Amino acid sequence: MTHPVTTFLLFAWVSFLRYFDRDDVSVTAPHASHWQSTDLPDLYEASISELQKGLDLGRFTSVDLVQTYIARILEVNDQGPSLHAVIETNPQGLAQAAALDAERKLTGKRSGLHGIPILVKDNIATLHEEGMNTTAGSFALLGSVVPRDAGVAAKLRAAGAIILGKASLSEWSHFRSLDLPSGFSGRGSQALSPYFPQGDPAGSSSGSGVATAIGLAAGSLGTDTSGSIILPSSRNNLVGIRPTVGLTSRAGVIPISSHQDTVGPMCRSVADAAIILSVIAGPDPLDNYTLVQPEPVPDFTKALQKHALKGVRLGVPRLFQGNDMNILAAFNASLEIMKELGATIVDPADFPDADELLVSRNSTTVLSVDLKVDINNYLAELVEVPTGVKNLADLITFNTQHADIELIPPYYTSQSQFIASQATEVNASYFEALAMDEDLGRTRGIDATLQQFDLDALLLPTSFTAGPAAIAGYPVITVPLGFQPDSVIPTPATPITALAPGLPFGISFMGTAFSEFKLISYAFAYEQRTHHRLGRRAFPAAVPQTQLRDVMPSKEG
């Protein structure tokens, strides 16, 4: 009996050859002429630099990578553990890979991302003519025609990256309803953690986290409004960077809030995240927030210094640390490691306004109004929307009329945040909430704490980091810290399990505006000392078995 992966690869290769059976295109066999299986990286952990080295040496090609990653997706996405990490793959991916392979031979590579397959969250627009949808996981936008690539997608393409597909997400970036399980969308179904069956993947960039964790792509992009990069990165044993609002463009990204939304990398290492951030950062005339960032855009890979923690002062705002004793034990142990690496730990270093921050509802007001305004603006810019939705009110109506595919009982029936946002208006209370967020998050929050204690950055368990940085629009980088012990009793799956043995968690470095370079250097130093990511793999059924050797034809000599 033919293995389903083999059947797919044969189909994909035939489709690929048909594409090139044209007078205007020629192609030679894409495979390297000589290779040994020991030369080929394990795609579960392979770094971008490792993949780039293999491409440079001709051990494999970008076509090989695309074919292998797609086969890996097929193994675990809708079959096996049904992780639902990827909504769709790029039908032009093989053709683009072949073109980039040819370009590499003819003129060399464009950047460290040349020919590297990357997934992007399904709220990041990609060219409609390429064949992929941009829907935020909703059937309401299926078939909609975007005017152009999102700014970050355009930068990836210009660097030679291959947009492999669209990662699943919490629908509308978890702002259809805050009551919905993380990782659910109408189009993408329920995404699941690869570290425990039916485990909570966190969100809203759930698919980006799940897919990258087990090597379904070299890396991914997520978006973050209030934890949507750093939380799924933490939960999926990854490095995630929430950049300062204004470092990366949001143009062409389905929004929640122009004041808090940001786009960043989710990767298996700090080095990979630095490579991707260096490409996607920078000004974009279609996003005026990016026009005030410091110039020039840093090469964040130069921040990768193993001794970067020596002489650094790091503060611990204990009032935000949470109460998970397993996470706190690992976090406290990490402080000792950082001391060994030369850092001074100021503990506690609490925010002067911590009590106010913990009870503030200003962000709820801001996000509710912004959602209505910004979603309506996004929909107005679309070239075509087959479902006819034109604004937030239409989206609410669409969901009600298509409840069988969107409001699915028993867990996915709510659109309470949509309804609440539709009832808002831009008024004096909104502007007061905006001003209070800036004051609480920046002036009397992060910036005041850094200044009062003479700190370079702040440290927290990632699970409790999102709020202050989100309302300030400030950067956070999370790196793996540990895993829930095997003694943990799993909570009931309703439909996902929030706490279970082996679920990962991270530690975050948080700083002031545009301090990404410093934060990356601290995170890298800690990562290189600890390598916590390697402490545990995904549960066996969630680990794809297909590797490059299974796709590339064996060559003798």
Side-chain angles (χ1 to χ4, degrees):
M1 180 177 179
T2 304
H3 193 278
V5 170
T6 305
T7 302
F8 166 76
L9 292 175
L10 288 171
F11 172 77
W13 187 243
V14 169
S15 299
F16 172 69
L17 291 176
R18 285 176 177 169
Y19 174 86
F20 284 102
D21 188 19
R22 306 180 339 194
D23 294 336
D24 61 327
V25 181
S26 62
V27 66
T28 56
H31 303 289
S33 58
H34 301 284
W35 64 272
Q36 296 178 344
S37 61
T38 54
D39 295 330
L40 302 177
D42 179 354
L43 295 185
Y44 186 92
E45 287 293 344
S47 70
I48 290 173
S49 295
E50 188 178 6
L51 295 176
Q52 197 60 249
K53 180 179 179 181
L55 291 167
D56 285 341
L57 294 175
R59 290 174 178 164
F60 49 86
T61 67
S62 293
V63 167
D64 295 327
L65 282 176
V66 169
Q67 287 184 307
T68 308
Y69 280 130
I70 290 177
R72 291 170 68 84
I73 291 168
L74 286 179
E75 281 188 68
V76 298
N77 199 61
D78 295 313
Q79 301 177 21
S82 298
L83 300 179
H84 299 302
V86 180
I87 289 183
E88 57 186 305
T89 55
N90 186 351
Q92 301 299 319
L94 284 169
Q96 292 170 4
L100 288 162
D101 284 335
E103 182 180 323
R104 181 188 297 272
K105 289 183 178 180
L106 185 64
T107 60
K109 62 188 178 187
R110 303 181 198 177
S111 77
L113 286 182
H114 187 106
I116 301 295
I118 303 291
L119 287 166
V120 301
K121 188 177 179 179
D122 183 43
N123 63 344
I124 298 173
T126 52
L127 295 171
H128 179 73
E129 54 267 32
E130 188 175 51
M132 288 190 291
N133 292 281
T134 303
T135 68
S138 171
F139 284 105
L141 291 186
L142 187 61
S144 60
V145 179
V146 298
R148 64 188 72 85
D149 266 336
V152 290
K155 286 181 179 291
L156 285 177
R157 290 192 204 278
I162 300 163
I163 299 177
L164 181 66
K166 294 296 184 74
S168 63
L169 71 166
S170 306
E171 188 173 307
W172 297 104
S173 296
H174 215 162
F175 234 65
R176 191 185 92 185
S177 172
L178 302 181
D179 300 325
L180 293 176
S182 291
F184 166 78
S185 69
R187 287 195 65 220
S189 192
Q190 177 65 63
L192 298 170
S193 167
Y195 284 90
F196 189 84
Q198 294 298 126
D200 183 348
S204 66
S205 303
S206 312
S208 299
V210 173
T212 304
I214 55 175
L216 304 187
S220 61
L221 293 189
T223 65
D224 192 303
T225 305
S226 187
S228 288
I229 286 174
I230 62 173
L231 295 179
S233 293
S234 172
R235 179 54 66 94
N236 289 287
N237 201 21
L238 295 176
V239 174
I241 300 178
R242 174 203 155 83
T244 305
V245 173
L247 182 66
T248 57
S249 173
R250 291 86 50 81
V253 176
I254 299 174
I256 291 176
S257 168
S258 57
H259 296 96
Q260 291 187 201
D261 292 349
T262 186
V263 184
M266 300 171 68
C267 298
R268 292 182 290 274
S269 69
V270 176
D272 285 356
I275 290 170
I276 293 178
L277 186 61
S278 297
V279 166
I280 65 173
D284 180 352
L286 297 178
D287 181 353
N288 62 352
Y289 279 69
T290 66
L291 303 182
V292 297
Q293 65 181 268
E295 294 182 339
V297 178
D299 177 355
F300 293 105
T301 64
K302 293 182 179 178
L304 304 176
Q305 302 294 328
K306 290 184 178 180
H307 304 294
L309 283 171
K310 187 175 182 180
V312 167
R313 290 175 59 83
L314 303 174
V316 182
R318 288 288 180 179
L319 291 176
F320 297 123
Q321 71 178 7
N323 57 8
D324 184 311
M325 300 313 296
N326 295 320
I327 294 177
L328 286 176
F331 176 73
N332 290 333
S334 77
L335 301 182
E336 298 305 313
I337 293 172
M338 290 191 216
K339 290 178 184 177
E340 294 172 7
L341 292 171
T344 296
I345 304 297
V346 181
D347 183 8
D350 283 312
F351 286 29
D353 65 346
D355 291 337
E356 291 178 74
L357 266 171
L358 288 168
V359 299
S360 173
R361 299 288 295 168
N362 292 298
S363 181
T364 301
T365 299
V366 170
L367 297 183
S368 294
V369 176
D370 281 354
L371 176 70
K372 180 179 177 180
V373 172
D374 294 336
I375 282 288
N376 289 353
N377 288 339
Y378 176 85
L379 294 174
E381 292 180 356
L382 294 176
V383 176
E384 180 183 349
V385 185
T387 61
V389 296
K390 297 179 180 179
N391 50 44
L392 181 57
D394 289 346
L395 293 175
I396 295 169
T397 300
F398 177 91
N399 290 338
T400 302
Q401 293 177 345
H402 299 84
D404 59 323
I405 55 175
E406 286 289 351
L407 308 179
I408 306 169
Y411 300 112
Y412 311 118
T413 59
S414 179
Q415 53 176 334
S416 58
Q417 185 58 56
F418 268 15
I419 294 169
S421 294
Q422 178 59 27
T424 65
E425 59 184 26
V426 178
N427 55 24
S429 296
Y430 167 73
F431 289 112
E432 288 171 8
L434 267 178
M436 282 301 297
D437 268 357
E438 181 172 341
D439 182 52
L440 288 172
R442 299 181 187 180
T443 308
R444 294 193 293 127
I446 294 172
D447 289 334
T449 308
L450 294 173
Q451 183 175 5
Q452 178 180 335
F453 296 99
D454 189 26
L455 302 173
D456 295 287
L458 297 162
L459 288 170
L460 274 172
T462 301
S463 302
F464 312 106
T465 306
I471 66 171
Y474 281 1
V476 177
I477 178 169
T478 178
V479 294
L481 174 61
F483 307 84
Q484 292 290 347
D486 290 337
S487 58
V488 166
I489 298 173
T491 55
T494 56
I496 50 179
T497 299
L499 181 65
L503 288 182
F505 49 81
I507 184 172
S508 284
F509 298 78
M510 177 169 52
T512 192
F514 301 108
S515 61
E516 285 84 357
F517 193 94
K518 290 200 306 182
L519 299 182
I520 288 169
S521 71
Y522 308 154
F524 180 76
Y526 178 75
E527 173 201 53
Q528 292 303 298
R529 171 63 181 272
T530 59
H531 294 290
H532 287 308
R533 173 173 162 79
L534 303 180
R536 189 163 187 149
R537 284 166 70 92
F539 67 87
V543 178
Q545 298 303 302
T546 305
Q547 297 284 354
L548 282 162
R549 64 178 176 269
D550 302 311
V551 171
M552 298 168 60
S554 179
K555 304 268 185 176
E556 296 294 335

